Amino acid sequence: MATGQLFSRTTQALFYNYKQLPIQRMLDFDFLCGREIPSVAGIINPGAEGFQKLFFGQEEIAIPVHSTIEAACTAHPTADVFINFASFRSAAASSMAALKQPTIRVVAIIAEGVPESDTKQLIAYARSNNKVVIGPATVGGIQAGAFKIGDTAGTIDNIVQCKLYRPGSVGFVSKSGGMSNEMYNTIARVTDGIYEGIAIGGDVFPGSTLSDHILRFNNIPQVKMMVVLGELGGRDEYSLVEALKQGKVNKPVVAWVSGTCARLFKSEVQFGHAGAKSGGEMESAQAKNQALRDAGAVVPTSYEAFEIVIKETFDKLVEQGKITPVKEVIPPQIPEDLNNAIKSGKVRAPTHIISTISDDRGEEPCYAGVPMSSIVERGYGVGDVISLLWFKRSLPRYCTHFIEICIMLCADHGPCVSGAHNTIVTARAGKDLVSSLVSGLLTIGPRFGGAIDDAARYFKDAYDRGLTPYEFVEGMKKKGIRVPGIGHRIKRGDNRDKRVELLQRFARTHFPSVKYMEYAVQVETYTLSKANNLVLNVDGAIGSLFLDLLAGSGMFSKQEIDEIVEIGYLNGLFVLARSIGLIGHTFDQKRLKQPLYRHPWEDVLYTK
Amino acid sequence: MRGLMNKLVSRSLSVAGKWQQQQLRRLNIHEYQGADLMNKYGINVPKGVAVSSIDEVKEAVKSAFPNENELVVKSQILAGGRGLGTFQNGFKGGVHIVKADQVEDIAGKMLGQILVTKQTGPQGKVVSKVYLCEKLSLVNEMYFAITLDRKTAGPIIIACSKGGTSIEDLAEKYPDMIIKVPVDVFKGITDEDAARVVDGLAPKVADRNDSIEQVKKLYKLFCERDCTLLEINPLAETSGNQLVAADAKLNFDDNAAFRQKEIFALRDPSQEDPREVAAAKADLNYIGLDGEIGCMVNGAGLAMATMDIIKLHGGTPANFLDVGGNASEGQVVEAFKILTSDDKVKAILVNIFGGIMKCDVIASGIVNAAKQVALKVPVVVRLEGTNVDQGKRILKESGMTLITAEDLDDAAEKAVKAASK
């Protein structure tokens, strides 16, 4: 056990098991104290490496993350405090590993519930190697104005209120971490404040004891008096009694042992802390208070009187001229976190992304303002969802039904078309679903599947300008552009595409107007007169009918329709639909366990 | 012969008591479970069978004790004072030594009945199993214990060549006969350590090497099962020259529950305070007591200080309840439910210091909790720490009839006053 100061303004720690808040609180404390270097040198996160971004004052700093304790100690040889936020299951093993590092001097164990036999090993090792263990089951400790372990002293507001940003003259040690927060407050009210405060933890066998720290405080010249808060149970307070009796402590000690109420109860009672159980008479709070009093400590008659005797003891030291007045400093303001500041309405900040179609912040996600539950309750189909997310409005059922028919018709077109072919080849190369899917999707473009938008664009332009089919087709021919939506590799005028017929029949029955479709049919009639394969294909049918849907539903302004055609919404339908088929092809190939595809030589014309 | 008989009766009675004197929050296991565990480790224990029905009693007497004239019949509850206890059906005594043909009758009067002892409280505890044991004739009694030691930072074995009474008595009467053998926490027990213990026990008839093996087995059990205390008192020698753990007390480290699943599966919730079972489910640190002021506090240390001050003002806490440093609103609600379900509670004292938690968060937790639970008794609240003003305002604006207190002293005084109305 060290005999003097454990920490200084340059002490740095390694932090085991990344926890953002406690580390940020340590760094905020550093800033409050005007430390030049952050008190956390490195973080150990088993299995992870890299950096964690945290704030040091106004600056953002990157603290290195190491995957092992050994690596962290090698990288930061001057960091001699190990703050262990591991769970109670693994705290003992990681603490032992840290104690065995030559660079580590102090290990603080936060976890509550470390098995006692494991703690015993830590204590035995620390003792024979002159190292300090604080905890387990502790919040840690603090040296005012210098160094703070984890969550000690709570929020920044509390730290400022307790003046922990600059050293006072009081050394404090307690078992309870929660009570240490309350006591820092009390001590700041009636004295010049804390020099160092340690919570040793509530376990039966703490790594370091009340008396260990009192004896250490006795050797620190800046500490002028000590305050001890003990608990019933255990005999730890008696080693302090011994030290006092032997004259090993020559500064005033103010002490109180909690748990005087335990006598009221007949049976053994354990008060939260594993060590705080009412046992024999010796371990009672009353007996300990009396023994401390007899040994020369200042012991009040109740916890409430604790504050008074602390004040009296301090005032006496002031009278004796033993206290050098503390230089009061005004701590800097910790810059407020943006999120908190926005929440409290103090600042405003521009956003970087804007979104208008869906909102996941409430109790349930909303698509264009319609909550998920209504979508389910009203029996919406996928066409309705598309109308909400793509067009930001609820289209009439015949429209959404039409969208669904388009998707169903375009979902697949056999294994030989370029999209499915690509997907099959990719799946057989052993690639995953997403790779296989996008490999197929990447073929969609002007030559494959992508003609819907163009068909809509040209039909719309021609119809809106009042061109006759003759003028339109010949005009295109002059420009050297094939009319999109017209022509099929197999289908003929006397063998029409079944899909086109289905779409046209549905539209004629349900759509209020099919003027664009009629125009497309007129164009088809003209092109068929030129060649028998220049039929209206499925792209042309969907493209023209979608124009009828947009114009005839009365749900879109002219400007909106232009924009929809311009942006290329309609290809979206084909991409979405064909994804269904491409996913199916991927699964099919995987299920069939097809090997790598290699195109046969015989099928390639090798030539110069 | 007669003397031995008497001794056996009193022994059996004390067996019942001592198994049970374990702390509340430590795992408590039944006598037969402890014996079974020791048996698994090759430690000599009196032969016994636990039974839960008359059919099982018949079967056990026939198959396990065909040659015994007399057997010891012991009620299995997790409380001491069984020998002197009384069943609610009027039957007296939770432990009996009876002739083999009477075992069925006596066990029948115990099974399924409620046994009231001085440790169970008036509500008693249900006997769902009885333990049938062979009757031993003991020729020598010694004391043996293993615990964890502060000074040597490791396990320590305590042995005494006298036994049968408490270690405190032994320390007073035979201080020179008690030996302590610390065991190196890293190396474990050596043959030399075990031999020193056996020399300290100084058995009269048992074989020395066998005894050394028994000590090593006891140590093995202590380590492997994360015991915090293993006390064999008496460690006895039988007329058959055998070393037997005639009575044992086993405490297990709660902290090791995660790696001692088998041991902690022995927990018997039917024997526990229902308030504590409910609190454990909500992850609250709760201990039921007998007073009239219900306490809800964050942090074990503050809870203790709170109870002290209540006592100082002449009140008695009805419980210890630590909601923890990071209590959620749900936990606060559960805490209120447990407090208000206790008829003995005449007033509730809420004492919160907002260190890591903020007072406004806690205050809204209290308000929401109070809305869900019908509050029949006055509630005194003392808040201190971060955002205390916001917290107090939330309480004030809630329209709840709360008694607010300035400091801990004031809070305790008001709570005691409210409870006595």
Side-chain angles (χ1 to χ4, degrees):
Chain A
M1 179 81 192
T3 49
Q5 235 161 255
L6 289 183
F7 312 118
S8 74
R9 282 171 65 85
T10 53
T11 299
Q12 282 197 301
L14 296 175
F15 196 102
Y16 187 89
N17 209 6
Y18 178 65
K19 295 262 186 300
Q20 198 235 337
L21 264 183
I23 300 182
Q24 188 58 61
R25 288 195 181 114
M26 285 176 72
L27 298 176
D28 284 348
F29 173 79
D30 296 346
F31 178 72
L32 215 56
C33 303
R35 271 182 65 122
E36 278 163 20
I37 52 166
S39 58
V40 179
I43 296 163
I44 300 143
N45 225 5
E49 266 173 23
F51 292 90
Q52 281 294 346
K53 287 201 313 174
L54 289 144
F55 283 106
F56 184 55
Q58 195 152 17
E59 311 256 306
E60 221 172 2
I61 55 171
I63 298 184
V65 178
H66 306 276
S67 62
T68 65
I69 294 169
E70 291 75 16
C73 289
T74 311
H76 312 284
T78 54
D80 57 1
V81 178
F82 185 84
I83 299 175
N84 197 342
F85 265 74
S87 80
F88 61 91
R89 289 177 196 83
S90 62
S94 46
S95 297
M96 184 56 93
L99 282 171
K100 286 185 174 163
Q101 298 298 313
T103 53
I104 296 295
R105 211 168 36 85
V106 180
V107 172
I109 307 165
I110 309 303
E112 181 170 354
V114 178
E116 285 169 10
S117 58
D118 293 357
T119 313
K120 277 289 169 215
Q121 301 197 352
L122 298 175
I123 296 171
Y125 188 89
R127 258 191 219 169
S128 51
N129 291 278
N130 205 26
K131 301 198 174 192
V132 180
V133 174
I134 299 174
T138 182
V139 67
I142 187 167
Q143 185 180 325
F147 181 79
K148 176 174 103 91
I149 296 172
D151 286 323
T152 303
T155 58
I156 287 298
D157 297 342
N158 195 46
I159 288 169
V160 171
Q161 215 177 7
C162 300
K163 298 196 174 162
L164 290 166
Y165 49 82
R166 54 101 182 119
S169 314
V170 181
F172 171 76
V173 61
S174 76
K175 285 194 174 173
S176 153
M179 278 306 275
S180 66
N181 282 348
E182 173 123 23
M183 287 302 299
Y184 294 151
N185 226 313
T186 307
I187 289 171
R189 268 201 304 272
V190 297
T191 72
D192 64 0
I194 289 285
Y195 184 79
E196 188 187 319
I198 300 281
I200 62 166
D203 271 4
V204 183
F205 301 109
S208 53
T209 64
L210 297 175
S211 56
D212 286 341
H213 292 287
I214 290 294
L215 290 172
R216 200 167 55 73
F217 290 159
N218 196 54
N219 293 334
I220 302 175
Q222 296 93 324
V223 173
K224 307 293 183 194
M225 63 177 278
M226 279 91 89
V227 175
V228 183
L229 181 64
E231 278 176 6
L232 80 164
R235 310 236 161 148
D236 194 20
E237 287 80 0
Y238 288 104
S239 52
L240 176 56
V241 168
E242 280 312 302
L244 288 169
K245 277 188 186 160
Q246 290 166 8
K248 285 186 186 164
V249 182
N250 51 28
K251 296 173 185 175
V253 174
V254 187
W256 175 250
V257 178
S258 282
T260 50
C261 62
R263 275 218 184 139
L264 293 172
F265 315 117
K266 281 161 264 154
S267 51
E268 283 188 345
V269 175
Q270 184 165 27
F271 296 95
H273 289 159
K277 77 165 189 183
S278 59
E281 176 56 28
M282 276 277 281
E283 300 190 3
S284 75
Q286 282 86 345
K288 290 191 199 178
N289 276 324
Q290 191 55 45
L292 284 165
R293 198 176 285 130
D294 293 345
V298 182
V299 180
T301 49
S302 74
Y303 174 71
E304 278 296 293
F306 204 20
E307 178 167 348
I308 301 165
V309 292
I310 294 170
K311 182 175 170 25
E312 286 170 358
T313 308
F314 180 78
D315 290 348
K316 212 180 287 171
L317 287 169
V318 174
E319 267 170 45
Q320 292 165 353
K322 286 186 182 163
I323 303 269
T324 7
V326 168
K327 216 179 105 205
E328 286 297 348
V329 288
I330 295 168
Q333 186 82 32
I334 302 271
E336 197 165 350
D337 279 337
L338 189 59
N339 288 345
N340 296 343
I342 290 172
K343 223 185 265 172
S344 63
K346 279 185 203 152
V347 298
R348 57 191 185 193
T351 53
H352 295 97
I353 283 181
I354 176 165
S355 170
T356 64
I357 59 166
S358 74
D359 189 337
D360 57 330
R361 290 168 303 172
E363 290 217 334
E364 53 179 335
C366 287
Y367 293 163
V370 180
M372 202 53 68
S373 49
S374 324
I375 289 172
V376 174
E377 280 159 19
R378 291 181 203 162
Y380 276 9
V382 74
D384 298 282
V385 170
I386 290 171
S387 103
L388 288 173
L389 288 176
W390 292 13
F391 301 104
K392 293 171 62 181
R393 67 204 75 191
S394 267
L395 292 173
R397 183 59 195 151
Y398 78 85
C399 295
T400 61
H401 194 175
F402 176 75
I403 292 173
E404 283 162 12
I405 291 171
C406 290
I407 288 172
M408 291 188 280
L409 292 180
C410 299
D412 199 55
H413 205 211
C416 301
V417 295
S418 52
H421 180 77
N422 253 23
T423 291
I424 289 168
V425 171
T426 311
R428 288 181 59 171
K431 300 302 291 276
D432 59 308
L433 171 64
V434 176
S435 303
S436 306
L437 169 63
V438 297
S439 157
L441 289 177
L442 286 173
T443 62
I444 297 175
R447 293 187 181 172
F448 172 59
I452 304 176
D453 269 315
D454 278 344
R457 245 169 243 145
Y458 284 112
F459 283 136
K460 182 170 184 301
D461 179 66
Y463 178 86
D464 291 355
R465 284 198 289 138
L467 298 181
T468 63
Y470 169 81
E471 288 167 330
F472 170 50
V473 174
E474 295 306 320
M476 294 286 278
K477 197 175 172 188
K478 258 183 220 153
K479 281 185 250 165
I481 304 170
R482 293 179 52 201
V483 180
I486 296 286
H488 201 279
R489 212 170 60 83
I490 299 159
K491 298 296 175 189
R492 294 286 179 273
D494 47 3
N495 171 25
R496 309 293 289 271
D497 189 334
K498 190 75 184 164
R499 298 177 297 175
V500 174
E501 285 178 5
L502 288 168
L503 286 168
Q504 288 177 333
R505 198 182 308 151
F506 179 86
R508 286 216 171 85
T509 323
H510 298 284
F511 281 26
S513 141
V514 287
K515 57 182 183 180
Y516 286 106
M517 187 196 82
E518 298 295 5
Y519 183 70
V521 170
Q522 286 169 32
V523 171
E524 182 194 35
T525 312
Y526 177 72
T527 53
L528 276 176
S529 69
K530 299 173 74 115
N532 196 26
N533 68 337
L534 292 180
V535 290
L536 181 66
N537 61 28
V538 74
D539 292 349
I542 293 177
S544 58
L545 279 170
F546 228 98
L547 292 172
D548 284 323
L549 183 152
L550 294 172
S553 67
M555 303 283 288
F556 299 89
S557 70
K558 191 182 169 301
Q559 205 183 348
E560 282 174 333
I561 295 170
D562 287 345
E563 195 180 51
I564 287 167
V565 172
E566 191 51 43
I567 290 176
Y569 274 43
L570 307 185
N571 259 350
L573 271 183
F574 185 78
V575 171
L576 176 65
R578 190 51 57 92
S579 294
I580 299 170
L582 296 179
I583 291 171
H585 283 296
T586 307
F587 292 155
D588 193 35
Q589 297 302 313
K590 301 262 175 199
R591 197 169 45 228
L592 294 167
K593 307 214 168 31
Q594 288 296 289
L596 180 66
Y597 175 81
R598 197 170 190 287
H599 205 70
W601 285 315
E602 307 80 52
D603 195 41
V604 176
L605 169 63
Y606 292 92
T607 178
K608 290 262 164 69
Chain B
M1 185 62 206
R2 196 173 176 81
L4 186 62
M5 181 66 209
N6 281 343
K7 197 168 178 191
L8 267 174
V9 173
S10 67
R11 166 70 47 241
S12 304
L13 297 180
S14 84
V15 162
K18 264 184 277 161
W19 273 96
Q20 316 299 341
Q21 284 165 14
Q22 298 171 11
Q23 337 159 14
L24 281 166
R25 287 197 65 234
R26 297 279 176 184
L27 172 70
N28 213 345
I29 63 174
H30 287 291
E31 175 184 12
Y32 73 92
Q33 294 169 326
D36 186 43
L37 183 64
M38 289 198 288
N39 192 29
K40 274 189 196 150
Y41 275 80
I43 298 156
N44 303 331
V45 290
K47 189 178 174 191
V49 181
V51 290
S52 48
S53 69
I54 292 298
D55 289 345
E56 285 178 34
V57 173
K58 281 186 204 161
E59 178 60 30
V61 172
K62 217 181 334 165
S63 60
F65 306 105
N67 303 318
E68 303 285 333
N69 291 329
E70 285 183 313
L71 287 177
V72 191
V73 184
K74 300 169 163 185
S75 311
Q76 298 293 292
I77 58 167
L78 293 179
R82 289 178 299 174
L84 298 172
T86 304
F87 286 90
Q88 282 181 353
N89 62 6
F91 184 61
K92 287 213 188 318
V95 177
H96 288 261
I97 296 177
V98 295
K99 294 258 182 292
D101 56 4
Q102 294 167 356
V103 169
E104 210 183 302
D105 174 45
I106 297 297
K109 288 179 176 151
M110 295 177 175
L111 277 170
Q113 300 299 321
I114 307 287
L115 179 59
V116 180
T117 78
K118 61 179 183 186
Q119 283 191 18
T120 60
Q123 74 280 7
K125 286 191 192 290
V126 65
V127 176
S128 30
K129 273 192 164 57
V130 296
Y131 192 41
L132 310 179
C133 281
E134 66 173 328
K135 203 184 69 175
L136 289 177
S137 62
L138 308 180
V139 296
N140 182 30
E141 299 189 355
M142 297 156 287
Y143 176 91
F144 176 93
I146 313 177
T147 186
L148 289 167
D149 183 45
R150 209 171 284 268
K151 224 177 262 168
T152 59
I156 193 163
I157 301 178
I158 301 165
C160 181
S161 56
K162 302 273 182 195
T165 54
S166 79
I167 184 66
E168 288 81 7
D169 292 346
L170 292 172
E172 202 169 295
K173 272 191 238 166
Y174 316 106
D176 300 338
M177 293 190 192
I178 295 175
I179 65 149
K180 292 182 181 177
V181 179
V183 179
D184 187 298
V185 69
F186 296 109
K187 275 193 278 181
I189 194 163
T190 62
D191 286 343
E192 292 75 43
D193 292 335
R196 274 180 63 201
V197 172
V198 172
D199 291 344
L201 290 168
K204 290 185 176 133
V205 294
D207 180 75
R208 185 165 187 271
N209 285 336
D210 289 350
S211 304
I212 288 174
E213 285 311 306
Q214 285 286 302
V215 167
K216 283 162 76 178
K217 283 170 180 168
L218 285 162
Y219 182 82
K220 188 165 186 253
L221 165 64
F222 178 86
C223 291
E224 286 186 0
R225 297 305 175 145
D226 273 302
C227 294
T228 54
L229 174 68
L230 183 161
E231 187 183 51
I232 313 289
N233 188 18
L235 181 63
E237 288 179 277
T238 62
S239 49
N241 297 353
Q242 222 195 8
L243 206 60
V244 171
D247 185 8
K249 174 175 169 181
L250 289 162
N251 282 4
F252 300 94
D253 184 355
D254 271 357
N255 288 356
F258 69 92
R259 63 184 185 199
Q260 296 292 356
K261 300 261 188 291
E262 204 186 314
I263 295 286
F264 281 79
L266 299 176
R267 227 184 107 194
D268 183 356
S270 77
Q271 301 281 320
E272 292 172 16
D273 184 335
R275 296 177 299 181
E276 286 175 21
V277 175
K281 266 190 205 144
D283 208 10
L284 294 167
N285 202 339
Y286 176 93
I287 295 163
L289 302 168
D290 297 330
E292 73 284 352
I293 297 174
C295 305
M296 182 163 81
V297 190
N298 67 336
L302 188 59
M304 248 177 275
T306 307
M307 296 166 70
D308 285 354
I309 293 199
I310 289 175
K311 188 203 149 205
L312 193 73
H313 284 278
T316 319
N319 66 289
F320 169 95
L321 199 167
D322 170 15
V323 295
N326 279 316
S328 68
E329 197 176 299
Q331 284 176 300
V332 175
V333 173
E334 282 308 311
F336 261 115
K337 277 186 191 160
I338 292 165
L339 290 183
T340 50
S341 67
D342 189 341
D343 290 338
K344 276 183 267 175
V345 171
K346 300 287 176 263
I348 293 175
L349 170 54
V350 180
N351 183 14
I352 303 287
F353 182 85
I356 295 173
M357 288 276 292
K358 289 180 177 155
C359 287
D360 51 335
V361 176
I362 295 161
S364 41
I366 293 172
V367 172
N368 289 335
K371 276 181 199 156
Q372 297 187 38
V373 181
L375 284 174
K376 294 163 285 186
V377 296
V379 179
V380 180
V381 182
R382 175 258 181 177
L383 282 180
E384 194 59 71
T386 313
N387 293 355
V388 60
D389 295 329
Q390 275 168 267
K392 283 183 178 166
R393 202 183 58 227
I394 290 169
L395 290 180
K396 205 171 166 192
E397 288 169 359
S398 73
M400 282 169 64
T401 45
L402 296 170
I403 305 169
T404 51
E406 284 315 305
D407 55 32
L408 192 42
D409 211 25
D410 185 34
E413 202 179 320
K414 283 176 174 162
V416 172
K417 212 162 137 196
S420 61
K421 264 180 197 166

